[in-house]
Amino acid sequence: MSSKIQSIRGMHDILPEQTPHWQFLEDLLRDLVAAYGYREIRMPIVEKTELFRRSIGEVTDIVEKEMYTFEDRNGDSLTLRPEGTAGCVRACLEHGLLHNQQQRLWYLGPMFRHERPQKGRYRQFHQLGVEAFGFAGPDIDAEMIAMTARLWRLLGLNDVRLELNSLGSSEARAAYRAVLVDYFRSHFDALDEESKRRLDSNPLRILDSKNPDLQALIGEAPSLLDHLDDESAEHFAVLRERLDDLGIEYTVNPRLVRGLDYYSRTVFEWITGSLGAQGTICAGGRYDGLIEQLGGKPGTAIGMAIGLERLLALLEAEERLPQTGDCHAYLVMVGEGSERAGAALAERLRDRIRGLRLVCHAGGGGFKAQMKRADRSGADWALILGEDEVAAGTVTLKPLRGQEDEQKTLDEATLTDRLARWVSEEN
Ligand code: ATP
Ligand code: MG
């Protein structure tokens, strides 16, 4: 026997037991973003490598070591998208969606990063991405944050907190960068290898280091917020005021710099304490420079991404996932003529009851064996069609989940009513 081929490390199958949870979350997310006027955009999963190099930045974890990059048969360098923003901006520029326009867009799908797999960190994972183009003011920043706050409320999640920072303009950041380099240079020996390397190439990223030995040093570093330009400081102040108006709590974290190069001004993360080290379930910020960097006219932009695996893990931990997806009814057919009558009955029920999930037994077998399958299907009801029922034009309705004491033999119209009510009460 030949050996079994397994899935790639860090890339997981989502099995039928789990897909109802994904569908529940995806449906809720679609309704949420629609409620704020966001429209869906779908981009390819593969883009030119150059796109990510130019947008995310050379000296980032993603570009340095996490991208799935390969040559296609033409010798072009392509990359599986590690995030959606770059492709979204590329698509908008390509189709002229940004010039003198405002856009509220969203997308949902798999992203790929070659990281060390662990709980909450995978090589294929899924994000909901949301991007707003053509809005310069902090009102849209506040709206986007309010949208996520609504999401946690809808999902019944309490243990999520908002951290907020402003990175200022690129000029202000350049000035701050010089101050920061001086500071870290004066503590050069205390830095780890990666930080030493980043001191010249991208010192702000040192603030983002996850090395516990560096946290004290990082904690004492000069604060970005003390070096904001006036306009960014005003933007940040108005954003905070708006969040206060909306009753959204937050803490200002001056070390929050985010992993990607393209951010400016507002950055934020939603973090939960319930998932251990991989606690950030949503991250975003403003990236006003990116459109120009990718060849467009200067334009403003803000976006965020929610990690769906982490959000689902949190929902599971907090027992906020609904039990849905199993079928409502399983049709058991025994005896002369029951299969033919049953097939027609099932079609009529599906015609009449919108949303009904009905499984017809297939493959023959006795009553006992069929009832066993009915039970294992997770159905709430068994519909039993035997010779007597076929002759009388009735169906026996048997509760499988203890929702009623006894089975009842019903005419078809009554059965249809009962099932229709059951289905509509579920929704
Ligand atoms: P981290 O610091 O945890 O590596 P990041 O800054 O790289 O996160 P972003 O690029 O901002 O993450 O992505 C937004 C969200 O996507 C994260 O907050 C997280 O919820 C999710 N995410 C990122 N990388 C992964 C991954 N490898 N596996 C699962 N989810 C991820
Ligand atoms: Mg990362």
Side-chain angles (χ1 to χ4, degrees), residues 85-157:
T85 300
C88 186
V89 172
R90 196 257 326 126
C92 287
L93 286 174
E94 196 166 326
H95 300 284
L97 303 187
L98 300 185
H99 189 58
N100 284 333
Q101 291 174 65
Q102 295 183 327
Q103 295 284 354
R104 286 178 170 89
L105 302 174
W106 69 274
Y107 47 84
L108 188 156
M111 307 293 161
F112 303 85
R113 297 184 193 177
H114 194 274
E115 306 197 61
R116 193 170 68 77
Q118 51 197 292
K119 189 171 168 265
R121 196 175 288 289
Y122 311 101
R123 290 180 172 174
Q124 175 173 334
F125 62 98
H126 297 75
Q127 286 182 340
L128 169 80
V130 165
E131 321 281 355
F133 300 109
F135 304 88
D139 45 356
I140 194 84
D141 307 23
E143 183 188 89
M144 199 171 275
I145 290 170
M147 186 162 76
T148 43
R150 173 178 300 278
L151 176 61
W152 318 138
R153 260 196 328 275
L154 285 171
L155 292 169
L157 296 171

Side-chain angles (χ1 to χ4, degrees), residues 376-426:
R376 261 194 274 156
S377 74
D380 305 313
W381 306 95
L383 310 184
I384 302 164
L385 204 55
E387 272 170 43
D388 293 350
E389 283 91 349
V390 172
T394 58
V395 180
T396 297
L397 181 68
K398 181 178 163 69
L400 298 178
R401 308 281 157 234
Q403 69 270 41
E404 272 174 27
D405 292 339
E406 282 173 24
Q407 62 180 51
K408 292 189 184 83
T409 299
L410 307 170
D411 61 48
E412 190 175 321
T414 312
L415 173 80
T416 306
D417 273 3
R418 294 280 312 268
L419 283 178
R421 221 174 322 124
W422 183 260
V423 170
S424 77
E425 272 165 22
E426 180 202 61

Side-chain angles (χ1 to χ4, degrees), residues 61-62 66 113 115 121 210:
D61 281 348
I62 291 183
E66 295 176 359
R113 297 184 193 177
E115 306 197 61
R121 196 175 288 289
K210 301 199 168 71

